[in-house]
Amino acid sequence: MAFRILLVEDDPDFAEVLQEALSDLGYLLCHASDGEAALAQLVSFPADLILSDVQMPRLDGYGLLAALRERRQAPPVLMMTAWGTIEEAVRALQGGAVDYLVKPFEMESLQAKLEKHLLPRAGDDKQLIAEAPSMRRCLERAEKVAQSDATVLLSGESGVGKEVLARYLHQHSARAKGPFVAVNCAAIPETLLEATLFGHEKGAFTGATQASAGKFEQAQNGTLLLDEVTEMPLALQAKLLRVLQERELERVGGQRTIPLDIRVIATSNRDLGEAVKGGQFRADLYYRLQVVPLQVPALRERREDILPLAQYLLNQAAVTLGLRPRALSPAAERALLAHDWPGNVRELQNALQRALILAEGDEIQTRDLDLPTEMPESGMTIAEQSSAAELALGEQKGHYERELIADALAKSGGSRGEAARLLGISARTLRHKLQRLREAGFDLG
């Protein structure tokens, strides 16, 4: 079943482009021209996510966020802003947005955000493939704990899918109809993390022109995911411990106590025991978080999952990139099984996206995967290597996509319809790609 997205955008031309592009990706779209129209649309269109502009007449994006905070089961909001300043981003996040995009942006960036923040619906657990005994044990334990409100600590290497499992726990709990709010403790500056988590009152600090609920309050009656909790500064760990113990908080600059009804899930890719010994993490908070510890196995420890997971990710990538699906050749399957996957599922996903772009025939060959024979001795951590690989992949994708489009246009004699057929995409998708290339300085005609 397709996800439903409510697009809130007052620019009709930009709204039309987004509607066409997202429809091509398989989403169901409904458009509202401002915040007031969006609130009215929600009555008849139960959106899974709201994609909203900031600057709009009547009721702007911030006003829409404020109105949605009053609702118990409001969908997550992804904000679009043309300003791109830290202040605008912080204001959006503190107002309740789950994430933001700075205009202009690539459709691939938007798609990545949507995939991150759209919750899987009941029964849509294909991404949780568990053929390997180690992963089956992990999933069986997750199914048992999902029905309780116990705090869960998910540990495992970077890229193993800890957030996917956290969403699975939420979706299979009694809180499934409530919000799922994720906050990456490593991605938010230390000076902003306290207000982001616990909220603030008007005048609590410079720039706090109005009161704002934090992530804990936004997760009321639902689940709060504290991603990479070990990156939280020690001073803030003490306040987090008290909130977890008392199930209540005070906003920054406030004196009123706010009771909480939430379930907390934390993740870490570090050895928490070692972090406690090294003085980077409080021992009392460690024991409070790991009421139910769940270790997500590395991909090399669940080799039975590699091929079914690869096929799922390959089909997903075909939709995301607007390319026709391809199968894996027997040699490519053997290469996937032989690789150690130090970057885990994230590395597998990158390799399959790259292969889909490079493949020329009906099957993906070993050369298309372009797997390294050994990990370079760069001195970088696995997470840093994975991040660098993602950046390189983006550059590769842009280069090869331009070549593929130019080649298709040449073979078709300039006919866009024929070029789209050769590329295995719709003419509308090709038109959008050509427009983006022109904006980037590449005019292919």
Coordinates of all heavy atoms in Angstrom, one line a residue, residues 34 59 86 105 292-293 394 405:
D34 N -1.6 26.2 1.9 CA -1.1 26.8 3.2 C -1.5 26.0 4.4 O -2.1 24.9 4.2 CB -1.6 28.3 3.3 CG -3.1 28.3 3.4 OD1 -3.8 27.5 4.1 OD2 -3.7 29.2 2.7
L59 N -1.5 30.8 7.2 CA -0.9 30.0 8.3 C 0.4 29.4 7.7 O 0.4 28.6 6.9 CB -1.8 28.9 8.8 CG -1.4 28.2 10.0 CD1 -1.3 29.1 11.3 CD2 -2.3 27.0 10.3
I86 N 21.1 28.2 10.3 CA 21.0 27.3 11.5 C 19.8 27.7 12.3 O 19.1 26.8 12.8 CB 22.3 27.4 12.3 CG1 23.5 26.9 11.5 CG2 22.1 26.7 13.6 CD1 23.4 25.4 11.2
F105 N 16.7 21.4 -3.5 CA 17.2 20.1 -3.1 C 17.0 19.1 -4.3 O 16.1 19.3 -5.1 CB 16.6 19.7 -1.8 CG 15.1 19.7 -1.9 CD1 14.3 18.7 -2.5 CD2 14.4 20.7 -1.2 CE1 12.9 18.7 -2.5 CE2 13.0 20.8 -1.2 CZ 12.3 19.8 -1.9
V292 N 16.1 -3.9 28.7 CA 16.1 -5.0 27.8 C 17.1 -4.7 26.7 O 16.9 -3.9 25.8 CB 14.7 -5.2 27.1 CG1 14.8 -6.4 26.1 CG2 13.6 -5.5 28.1
P293 N 18.3 -5.3 26.8 CA 19.3 -5.1 25.7 C 19.1 -6.0 24.5 O 18.7 -7.2 24.7 CB 20.6 -5.5 26.5 CG 20.2 -6.5 27.5 CD 18.8 -6.2 27.9
G394 N 27.2 9.5 -4.5 CA 26.4 10.5 -5.1 C 27.1 11.2 -6.3 O 26.4 11.4 -7.3
I405 N 21.8 9.3 -19.9 CA 20.8 10.2 -20.5 C 21.3 10.7 -21.8 O 20.6 10.7 -22.9 CB 20.4 11.3 -19.6 CG1 19.6 10.8 -18.4 CG2 19.5 12.3 -20.3 CD1 19.3 11.8 -17.3

